Amino acid sequence: LLFGTGDAMVRNPYAWTKLANLVAVESPVGVGYSYCDEMLHGGACANDDVRTAETLHAAMQDFVANKFPELAEAPFYISGESYAGVYCPTLAKAILDGNEDPTQTKINLAGLAVGDPCTDNDSQADSMDMLWYGHKNGFVLDEDFDILWNQCGMRYAHPLASGEWAVGEDGSVSAKGSSGANYAPVVTHRTVPRRGLLSGLSMPTNKAPSKQECDLAHRKFLLQTSKAFDQEWARGFINDLTLYGPSAIVGSSQKGSLNYRIAQWMMSDEVRAALHVQAAPQTAWPGPGAGWTYGSNYSACNADAHPGARSMVDFYRDIAPRVAGSVLVFNGDTDPCVSYEGTRDAIQNKVGFDLLEGGAWRPWFANWTAASRDFLDAKDLLFGPALTTQAAGPQLAGLTMDFDHGLSFATVHGSGHMVPQFRPRAAYRMMEGVLTGAPLAPLLPADAAIAAMSDAEWSDEMDKWTDVAKGASDKP
């Protein structure tokens, strides 16, 4: 079900529940209606990456051992997005390690699908910067970018990458080390810029820019980019989660927003009773409550990572050879929060697996089926902004590459941060691939074979390959 216009619930024609049983877990502890022992005595939950993996593993073991033992042998898949880029691979490792212990409940882990994820600090440093993203997408002129990035040394890190968060008494979530504003970019100055992405465009100068020049460029940037793609500015005019969606406020406390309406519905007596959480100490959803804290342990979305800290690159290197099926890492190619370039670099260049023969960077397709007029009228504007009443057949859904040990990376064309919300048809097609273990696109001929072809032979091969690739997606 989806939350539609007004307070109506709408059936989602692209629901993953058509493909598998779905378990949604509120994690880390203290989020949503989940709670820790400390909350039963007036305290708050203190979480980190290690504890979150441990508690998630214990919850899933209880799920298959005690709650639904009939599912104990069923293939188990893990999926999540954003900071779940840490939760998913760390949970997978906990499950795989636990499965090797004869005293622990085994979970039949069969695959992962991890979207727009926190993965690796070094690879994603620039691609999670709002100035970098704004310039890449044409919001910031070359000369203004050069002044701010290369000369003033300014960075606008997304708060997702802060590494430490806390909830105040007023319910506000602050990234430690930031201004304390909810989800506002963390602005810093670098005396020596990390690297100049526009070194070829760097304007010659005999002196450093003045504070006034930096302030001027900074203020223009804020206007050009809707306050650096701020998620809670009431007058925001750019969707900070998907570039080609309608602008919207994210905060669940801001009246009129989709998240506010969902939160009010989730806190209703009827829903709390249906979820059997009337006795939970957490009464406000999605939370977390006052005093809740979280600290990152790994070098992924963690500005305070210790030197030598592991990133998710290390986890993928460990878990992919041990997972029975596919390990897919995907990224919307217009995501303002986590740009695809950094994610791709981490998977392609850092993990270290060889590319499958024929698994090179290539298009994949999804069938653009028609949506009913009733569904389009009933759904919220932020769900599936590209859905239409007209079918368009197989369309480009992104690009993908496949590596040894079942590891793959894919972009989702036109999608922002939450792929199932913004490109539901592509997400459905992608999940079908993960569950079946099939690649999103057929393999190409080997590089040597392509290089040996004449232009006419390659043109013919492209025709045949494209027909097969589109045919693989041509399903209702």
Side-chain angles (χ1 to χ4, degrees):
L1 293 174
L2 297 170
F3 208 81
T5 56
D7 294 327
M9 301 299 291
V10 184
R11 288 200 176 275
N12 180 6
Y14 316 99
W16 291 3
T17 49
K18 293 182 176 183
L19 300 171
N21 298 301
L22 182 66
V23 182
V25 182
E26 293 188 318
S27 179
V29 178
V31 169
Y33 289 124
S34 67
Y35 58 92
C36 56
D37 288 340
E38 291 85 349
M39 291 177 67
L40 298 174
H41 307 287
C45 306
N47 295 287
D48 60 22
D49 296 334
V50 173
R51 183 186 182 192
T52 298
E54 292 172 348
T55 54
L56 274 170
H57 184 210
M60 293 301 95
Q61 286 179 312
D62 182 66
F63 181 86
V64 299
N66 302 314
K67 300 296 191 298
F68 295 94
E70 66 273 20
L71 297 177
E73 300 301 321
F76 182 85
Y77 296 84
I78 302 171
S79 186
E81 64 194 11
S82 196
Y83 200 84
V86 173
Y87 303 149
C88 293
T90 54
L91 170 59
K93 178 171 170 54
I95 289 173
L96 292 166
D97 291 348
N99 286 351
E100 295 176 357
D101 183 344
T103 67
Q104 290 201 35
T105 298
K106 290 180 172 53
I107 297 172
N108 184 19
L109 181 60
L112 290 86
V114 190
D116 298 72
C118 296
T119 306
D120 179 76
N121 276 358
D122 290 340
S123 292
Q124 296 179 312
D126 290 349
S127 66
M128 292 181 68
D129 186 281
M130 299 299 97
L131 172 58
W132 186 90
Y133 179 86
H135 173 257
K136 180 187 82 163
N137 285 285
F139 293 95
V140 182
L141 295 173
D142 290 349
E143 54 266 34
D144 290 337
F145 178 83
D146 179 75
I147 290 172
L148 286 171
W149 186 274
N150 292 322
Q151 298 181 48
C152 302
M154 296 189 74
R155 300 294 185 267
Y156 298 77
H158 193 277
L160 180 64
S162 298
E164 221 173 322
W165 302 269
V167 179
E169 291 299 322
D170 62 352
S172 63
V173 181
S174 62
K176 290 190 176 179
S178 75
S179 62
N182 286 4
Y183 304 107
V186 182
V187 183
T188 59
H189 294 259
R190 295 181 182 271
T191 303
V192 179
R194 180 172 48 252
R195 58 182 179 270
L197 298 187
L198 285 180
S199 56
L201 295 172
S202 183
M203 297 183 296
T205 178
N206 295 323
K207 62 182 182 63
S210 66
K211 180 181 183 302
Q212 185 178 29
E213 289 172 313
C214 290
D215 286 347
L216 175 60
H218 164 73
R219 289 166 185 170
K220 287 180 179 179
F221 164 73
L222 293 180
L223 176 63
Q224 294 156 359
T225 59
S226 189
K227 270 196 172 179
F229 307 95
D230 192 292
Q231 292 188 355
E232 297 198 357
W233 184 34
R235 292 172 175 79
F237 49 85
I238 299 173
N239 191 310
D240 48 82
L241 293 172
T242 188
L243 189 57
Y244 297 109
S247 62
I249 297 171
V250 172
S252 58
S253 62
Q254 293 174 284
K255 292 184 178 180
S257 69
L258 173 62
N259 285 347
Y260 176 84
R261 291 187 288 117
I262 293 175
Q264 298 306 304
W265 183 79
M266 287 292 294
M267 290 186 287
S268 67
D269 291 341
E270 295 83 359
V271 171
R272 286 175 59 87
L275 295 175
H276 307 287
V277 294
Q278 302 99 312
Q282 176 75 300
T283 57
W285 192 95
W292 181 93
T293 60
Y294 195 97
S296 299
N297 301 110
Y298 303 112
S299 184
C301 289
N302 182 6
D304 296 322
H306 297 296
R310 290 180 296 168
S311 78
M312 296 307 102
V313 164
D314 301 285
F315 280 82
Y316 286 120
R317 195 179 291 137
D318 179 351
I319 65 176
R322 303 161 65 194
V323 174
S326 301
V327 177
L328 172 65
V329 181
F330 61 93
N331 214 118
D333 66 7
T334 72
D335 184 355
C337 302
V338 182
S339 290
Y340 74 90
E341 293 93 335
T343 314
R344 183 179 62 186
D345 178 67
I347 300 303
Q348 178 185 8
N349 299 321
K350 296 281 186 71
V351 174
F353 294 161
D354 290 336
L355 200 66
L356 282 183
E357 186 170 70
W361 195 231
R362 62 203 190 280
W364 65 282
F365 299 88
N367 189 14
W368 279 36
T369 53
S372 72
R373 171 58 62 185
D374 288 344
F375 176 71
L376 293 181
D377 289 341
K379 76 174 183 67
D380 188 88
L381 189 63
L382 296 177
F383 181 85
L387 296 174
T388 66
T389 57
Q390 291 180 304
Q395 295 293 319
L396 176 70
L399 288 102
T400 185
M401 56 176 59
D402 301 298
F403 302 89
D404 284 343
H405 306 298
L407 179 65
S408 300
F409 173 76
T411 58
V412 182
H413 185 51
S415 181
H417 197 55
M418 294 93 76
V419 169
Q421 176 177 340
F422 299 129
R423 287 293 185 269
R425 292 174 294 204
Y428 190 93
R429 162 90 171 85
M430 193 165 54
M431 190 51 60
E432 283 182 316
V434 171
L435 295 177
T436 61
L440 292 176
L443 297 177
L444 297 168
D447 285 353
I450 295 175
M453 292 179 188
S454 67
D455 289 345
E457 288 172 331
W458 174 239
S459 180
D460 183 58
E461 178 64 32
M462 278 204 304
D463 289 347
K464 294 176 181 176
W465 185 92
T466 302
D467 288 344
V468 172
K470 284 186 174 182
S473 70
D474 194 10
K475 301 174 184 177

